[in-house]
Amino acid sequence: MSDGMDGGVRSVGLALDVLETVAFSPEELGVTQIADRLGLTKGSVHRHLSTLVERGYLKQNMQTARYSIGPKSRILARAAPEIDLIQIAEGPMRDLRDSVGQTVVLSSMSPRGALVHFAVSSASPIEIGVRPGSELSFVSSAQGRILLAYSPLPFQERILARPIEKLTDRTIIARDELETELGRIVKQGFASAPEETLLGINAIASPIFDEHDTIVGSVAVVGSIQFLPAEPGEAIISALKECSEQISRRLGHGRSSAQQMRSPANGAVSRRRKV
């Protein structure tokens, strides 16, 4: 790749970083805030902001000089043909939150890990949550592990071949241990990662499948290790699995199996993944 092309790719990457930082923020952001979060100079950030505002992907509040998501970004979101996973999952997630009393998080797969889409906050006075737009590691988070465990083997190989960052002294980095863990996750239907991303915090996650038996996301319960221990109780695991199964059914999971069972042309039905 030539220097010019490489510079162009970096410029596009920085523009997307700026766009994502503003888009995933719950409030308007100023140039200094964006620059601090990305570790860039204000001049560089301002150039990208000007272009994104000019093209309509961001907008600037004339009174505060801060930035928020623009009309072009909203048009693109409406044009996306994908099913609105948040809309489908929100009801079961709120029921799960009310049942277990902890924060519930919805994620899907990105090239770098589990991308957080939506969170239902706990009713506790001390809230433990995950910011939408965050990307969690495939190997050190419960959400990432559940996505990785049900992914095709070639994809797993690529992820496990990468260097693994040890986020805490409890993070598993040995490949053989991770492979064993992925097998265990598929067998039991949920994943956990106690204090592997952040000390004092645990999460347990269960998979969400679509009508083709493809994993499309995960739902997780996140909380303090005090309330969500390394070995969570059967009640919370059952409630989590029921939530993910309900979302999966709304996405059509299991529908083709039922059709096959009703069809007289099919003498047997192949075993499907158990959610």
Side-chain angles (χ1 to χ4, degrees):
M1 181 179 291
S2 67
D3 289 343
M5 291 179 64
D6 189 39
V9 171
R10 284 198 301 270
S11 180
V12 172
L14 289 176
L16 291 173
D17 286 342
V18 171
L19 177 60
E20 291 175 355
T21 299
V22 175
F24 293 130
S25 172
E27 58 186 7
E28 295 180 340
L29 296 178
V31 177
T32 301
Q33 290 173 296
I34 299 169
D36 288 345
R37 294 186 183 187
L38 294 176
L40 301 173
T41 64
K42 288 194 290 185
S44 174
V45 168
H46 189 269
R47 287 193 296 273
H48 291 295
L49 285 170
S50 296
T51 300
L52 290 167
V53 169
E54 182 181 349
R55 297 295 297 269
Y57 291 98
L58 295 179
K59 64 180 180 180
Q60 185 178 28
N61 185 323
M62 293 297 102
Q63 294 182 325
T64 65
R66 293 172 180 263
Y67 297 86
S68 61
I69 199 72
K72 185 72 71 66
S73 295
R74 299 185 188 280
I75 291 172
L76 283 178
R78 287 197 297 270
E82 297 179 357
I83 295 173
D84 189 339
L85 184 58
I86 295 177
Q87 184 177 10
I88 289 173
E90 184 173 0
M93 288 174 65
R94 292 192 182 280
D95 290 342
L96 177 60
R97 187 274 312 274
D98 294 342
S99 173
V100 302
Q102 303 298 318
T103 297
V104 179
V105 177
L106 176 71
S107 305
S108 69
M109 185 177 293
S110 79
R112 294 178 292 190
L115 176 64
V116 176
H117 285 272
F118 178 66
V120 179
S121 300
S122 73
S124 172
I126 300 176
E127 180 183 341
I128 296 175
V130 184
R131 179 170 54 85
S134 302
E135 286 182 301
L136 305 173
S137 166
F138 276 121
V139 295
S140 60
S141 71
Q143 295 95 316
R145 280 184 187 166
I146 201 78
L147 294 172
L148 188 61
Y150 287 94
S151 295
L153 287 177
F155 182 78
Q156 291 184 15
E157 288 288 331
R158 289 199 300 273
I159 298 300
L160 294 177
R162 298 175 182 174
I164 299 171
E165 182 181 3
K166 194 172 181 64
L167 300 175
T168 75
D169 59 2
R170 298 181 184 272
T171 305
I172 299 174
I173 61 173
R175 176 163 178 161
D176 59 342
E177 291 185 49
L178 288 169
E179 289 175 338
T180 299
E181 179 69 10
L182 294 179
R184 183 186 62 81
I185 288 168
V186 173
K187 183 177 180 179
Q188 67 183 16
F190 73 93
S192 63
E195 300 189 281
E196 293 194 45
T197 295
L198 187 66
L199 290 176
I201 303 300
N202 189 20
I204 56 172
S206 191
I208 298 171
F209 297 106
D210 66 9
E211 60 182 323
H212 305 294
D213 279 354
T214 300
I215 187 164
V216 295
S218 73
V219 61
V221 177
V222 181
S224 163
I225 199 75
Q226 176 183 356
F227 299 107
L228 196 62
E231 295 184 6
E234 185 58 37
I236 193 169
I237 293 172
S238 296
L240 171 66
K241 287 184 176 181
E242 173 56 32
C243 177
S244 66
E245 288 170 0
Q246 188 175 351
I247 298 169
S248 296
R249 287 195 297 270
R250 292 184 177 191
L251 290 173
H253 178 63
R255 198 171 296 164
S256 57
S257 287
Q259 291 172 347
Q260 287 179 351
M261 292 176 67
R262 288 195 297 268
S263 173
N266 291 291
V269 179
S270 61
R271 182 179 297 275
R272 304 173 72 85
R273 283 194 188 101
K274 186 178 182 181
V275 181

